[in-house]
Amino acid sequence: DQRWHGRGIRSEKFSLNDCADDAAAVLDALGIDKAFVAGYSMGGANAQVMWRRHPERVAGLILCSTASHWEGHLGERVFFRSLRVLNIGLFSIAANKVAHQGEKVIPADEVAMDGLRQWLLAELRTTSPWSIPVVMGELSRFDSTKWIGGVDVPTGVLVTGKDHTIPTDRQRSLGAAVPGTIVRESPGGHTSLIFDVKNWKPLFLELVDDVVAQAYDEAA
């Protein structure tokens, strides 16, 4: 339910900075001083940006199936730059399509009883495909390589070992860039959150516990 996703805000533009600020605003609304921030794929980029923009609100980071940058080899650079040019002409159409999709969203509690996988698939369907080129265009500009090494909170990275969307080596490099990072590796691909949840979920929960424990040990 981030901007341009699901039940999220329908804004005039999409940016990772706005998503990070929205998350900090949620903490404000709930009266939470600090939180352990977890993100999957694009959410991992959002989590990194949240630490960058609101470091005082982040107690720890759990970064899953994500990287410090999306645009790498020549094929990716050509793809993303072509996409950004395409978005110039399609942006207003995409914004209208995303808003229309949001009006049709089924309340989450109506599908939650169908099981975790069905719930996750239903959540994916709440986001209009028209948001994808806009979001991918923004992700292509994301690059935390110059500052991610300065992260000063306990951090965990969960790598998806057969990931062809975000190269596995790039995910491992993210773990190596942050001093003291706890790294775990799941055997599946980029859709492990849904289609390999039986293997992915225990590793994720273990990683969260380890990051939280490290934070409390450091505080003590």
Side-chain angles (χ1 to χ4, degrees):
D1 293 332
Q2 299 178 94
R3 286 173 183 252
W4 284 60
H5 292 75
R7 291 159 287 268
I9 296 169
R10 310 296 161 184
S11 55
E12 293 183 358
K13 62 182 179 67
F14 176 83
S15 79
L16 297 181
N17 286 346
D18 285 343
C19 289
D21 293 347
D22 291 342
V26 169
L27 296 184
D28 291 338
L30 296 175
I32 295 172
D33 181 34
K34 286 188 174 184
F36 291 88
V37 181
Y40 194 102
S41 189
M42 184 193 82
N46 285 342
Q48 294 173 63
V49 174
M50 185 174 178
W51 174 84
R52 175 77 166 172
R53 292 174 67 84
H54 306 279
E56 74 285 354
R57 312 304 298 274
V58 178
L61 290 170
I62 301 96
L63 308 173
C64 310
S65 300
T66 195
S68 60
H69 60 285
W70 260 246
E71 191 175 281
H73 57 71
L74 178 60
E76 290 173 338
R77 293 198 296 273
V78 171
F79 169 75
F80 282 123
R81 292 175 191 186
S82 299
L83 192 62
R84 292 201 292 267
V85 172
L86 180 65
N87 283 337
I88 295 172
L90 292 179
F91 187 86
S92 61
I93 298 173
N96 289 333
K97 294 287 187 180
V98 168
H100 181 65
Q101 180 78 11
E103 294 170 357
K104 300 187 295 182
V105 170
I106 300 171
D109 55 1
E110 292 186 20
V111 295
M113 300 304 293
D114 291 336
L116 181 58
R117 179 179 293 185
Q118 290 304 312
W119 176 80
L120 287 165
L121 288 170
E123 286 294 291
L124 280 180
R125 287 193 290 268
T126 66
T127 297
S128 170
W130 283 87
S131 71
I132 294 174
V134 175
V135 170
M136 293 297 292
E138 171 69 6
L139 277 171
S140 71
R141 297 183 177 91
F142 171 72
D143 189 343
S144 66
T145 53
K146 292 182 179 180
W147 50 262
I148 193 65
V151 168
D152 56 358
V153 295
T155 300
V157 168
L158 181 49
V159 175
T160 30
K162 296 179 181 177
D163 201 322
H164 301 295
T165 302
I166 299 179
T168 299
D169 288 346
R170 202 174 293 173
Q171 298 181 43
R172 294 184 183 129
S173 295
L174 174 63
V178 182
T181 295
I182 305 167
V183 179
R184 298 281 184 271
E185 189 158 324
S186 173
H190 198 67
T191 57
S192 292
L193 178 63
I194 296 174
F195 296 110
D196 194 36
V197 70
K198 69 179 186 303
N199 291 315
W200 183 87
K201 179 182 173 182
L203 289 169
F204 171 72
L205 295 178
E206 177 184 307
L207 185 59
V208 172
D209 287 343
D210 288 346
V211 170
V212 172
Q214 182 178 330
Y216 279 101
D217 287 346
E218 291 181 2

